[in-house]
Amino acid sequence: VAGFVSSTSTTQSLAQKSKKTGVVNYLVGAALLANMSSFLQVFLLVGPLNGRWLISILPSLLMMVVSATVLAILFLRKKEKITDVSETETKEGKIFSLIPALKFAILLLTIKLVTKICLILFGQSGFVVSSIIASLAGLDAVLVNLAEMAGVAITFKFALITFLLVNATNLLSKSAYSYFQGNRKFALNFFLSSGVVVLASFVGLIFFK
């Protein structure tokens, strides 16, 4: 559920828990499930905007979902000694806040403007680089931008390749966050798992039509 809200924040939180508790396998499995749910979210983001592009990215998307789920199950099934840690966390949160929505709107407008300028000035390479940089801040706004431009300003295949590259960058950035904020073993396992998911996503290119 947390992955639908923010897979990056969830991964960071789980990485921090791995450092405090020493637990690795269960937390890596949970992080992979959070990211898997963020892949499912792509259907909700892209579908209403560009159904044709959603169909073209479906093979890669399914490969990502399946690979992340299988890896998560493998980690969750590993036996691990858990240290009993009494930790009380009290967080008060609002059901709805206008600030995150405004931030997303500003980020989306910025990404639209920058990527289109880069596409005009530097061609496809400029568009890809600017999209990759934007994905470090989050994937949702980049996806919305790609869905709106696919089949209009850029081809479906180019949009798919860009999506795979920004997803890879986003996953690797989470691995970096995990390394600095969590247990080293957690970071290594999450990095290797992310690599498998990325490779699986590119396998989906074989089925592109």
Side-chain angles (χ1 to χ4, degrees):
V1 174
F4 274 101
V5 180
S6 174
S7 58
T8 301
S9 296
T10 305
T11 303
Q12 286 178 303
S13 177
L14 292 168
Q16 289 167 3
K17 281 187 179 294
S18 73
K19 194 169 186 177
K20 292 177 182 177
T21 64
V23 177
V24 173
N25 294 329
Y26 294 150
L27 294 177
V28 171
L32 288 168
L33 283 178
N35 282 277
M36 183 276 293
S37 67
S38 73
F39 300 151
L40 292 176
Q41 194 180 32
V42 175
F43 289 95
L44 301 176
L45 287 171
V46 175
L49 295 172
N50 196 331
R52 287 182 60 196
W53 188 54
L54 178 61
I55 292 171
S56 69
I57 69 173
L58 191 58
S60 291
L61 203 52
L62 290 176
M63 292 293 288
M64 289 158 59
V65 170
V66 171
S67 59
T69 303
V70 170
L71 287 167
I73 292 171
L74 290 175
F75 276 107
L76 291 171
R77 290 185 66 182
K78 284 185 178 181
K79 291 183 178 180
E80 187 171 23
K81 185 179 180 181
I82 301 176
T83 306
D84 184 23
V85 179
S86 56
E87 184 180 340
T88 305
E89 292 184 4
T90 305
K91 291 184 180 179
E92 294 182 2
K94 296 178 181 177
I95 294 175
F96 175 76
S97 177
L98 187 60
I99 294 176
L102 289 174
K103 284 182 179 178
F104 180 82
I106 293 170
L107 179 63
L108 179 59
L109 288 172
T110 304
I111 290 172
K112 281 184 177 182
L113 181 62
V114 173
T115 53
K116 285 179 181 178
I117 290 173
C118 288
L119 182 63
I120 294 169
L121 296 179
F122 307 108
Q124 292 185 340
S125 59
F127 180 83
V128 171
V129 171
S130 59
S131 296
I132 286 174
I133 294 171
S135 70
L136 295 173
L139 210 55
D140 292 353
V142 179
L143 268 173
V144 170
N145 186 48
L146 284 171
E148 290 180 343
M149 295 182 71
V152 181
I154 55 177
T155 64
F156 286 124
K157 188 169 185 179
F158 179 67
L160 168 58
I161 293 171
T162 304
F163 164 60
L164 297 180
L165 290 173
V166 297
N167 178 66
T169 303
N170 187 258
L171 281 173
L172 292 176
S173 69
K174 291 171 188 173
S175 299
Y177 299 149
S178 299
Y179 179 80
F180 290 111
Q181 297 183 358
N183 183 300
R184 295 294 182 266
K185 190 177 178 183
F186 175 97
L188 178 61
N189 287 339
F190 185 79
F191 171 74
L192 293 174
S193 300
S194 296
V196 173
V197 174
V198 169
L199 288 174
S201 70
F202 277 94
V203 170
L205 279 172
I206 299 172
F207 304 99
F208 179 84
K209 293 181 181 180

